[in-house]
Amino acid sequence: MIVTRFAPSPTGYLHLGHAYSALIGWRRARAVPGGRFLLRIEDIDPTRCRPEFEAGLLEDLAWLGLDWDGKVRRQSDHMEDYRAGLERLENRGLLYPCFCTRSDIAAEIARAGQAPHGPEGLLYPGLCRTIPPSERARRVEAGEAHALRLDMAKATALAGPLDWQDETAGRIVAAPEAFGDIVLARKETPTSYHLSVTLDDALQGVTLVTRGTDLFEATHIHRLLQALLDLPVPSYAHHPLLAGPDGRRYAKRDKSLTLRALRQAGRTPAEVRAMVGLE
Ligand code: GLU
């Protein structure tokens, strides 16, 4: 049985790149008897997500001719699931509170005179990793603002060698250590993209993750979290990002190429599907 999903963040109106991605997942599920296509709203960041974009994307997908199975899962309704996931990692001794501000981190990087780069930018220099447990507990209890970071060295040692299967790229050996001690929960958002997406794909029974190659690197982390949280491992199909005639990738800034604008300009769903090459 195949279960795919489309998981947009309601931070703007859907554009042609989203239509392409959603259609890929939808077509894979609809191509086989019993296949399921799920829709998930990734709205953990309250500062960027807006209800009108959520309503807009449901409307735009339906207009395009996509249907989805079961209830839409809205991440902000499931913070308890993410808290439980964090607790499991915590119980395995894999998380530590990080009290650093951005400027603390920048100062430490400047002091050290070098800063290794990971796929998501400069690596955390580990300042809070070595705070003694009693001091950590005292500062957390005193209500000091903190994020929760994954102790990457411990986590990878515990998980051992890992790989995943990508339909296009083949078997990929996971190398999550390149990311350093990633943040899994923030003070203002007590979860993260990596944690919630990994837990949700498992909780929703997703068997094939179809998404853009911009998220290819993130899969190294997701594979590690699956191992640490004892979750099933889906297959992956990272598709190329759609580019316009000028060779630039579609993005939220391309206001004229939102599904909404195309519809208002009189384009039909069939024409839009043809525009992304999936008629
Ligand atoms: N919410 C993510 C986005 O809009 C996609 C997450 C995923 O497909 O894993 O870029």
Side-chain angles (χ1 to χ4, degrees), residues 5-11 18 21 40-43 75 193 197-198 201 209-212 214-215 218 222 236 238 252:
R5 47 64 159 191
F6 179 54
S9 300
T11 56
H18 291 114
S21 194
R40 184 165 76 226
I41 308 292
E42 303 217 320
D43 64 342
Q75 288 189 324
Y193 161 66
V197 87
T198 307
D201 283 337
V209 173
T210 58
R211 61 182 175 199
D214 54 333
L215 290 169
H222 303 174
Y236 290 85
H238 290 98
K252 290 201 169 123

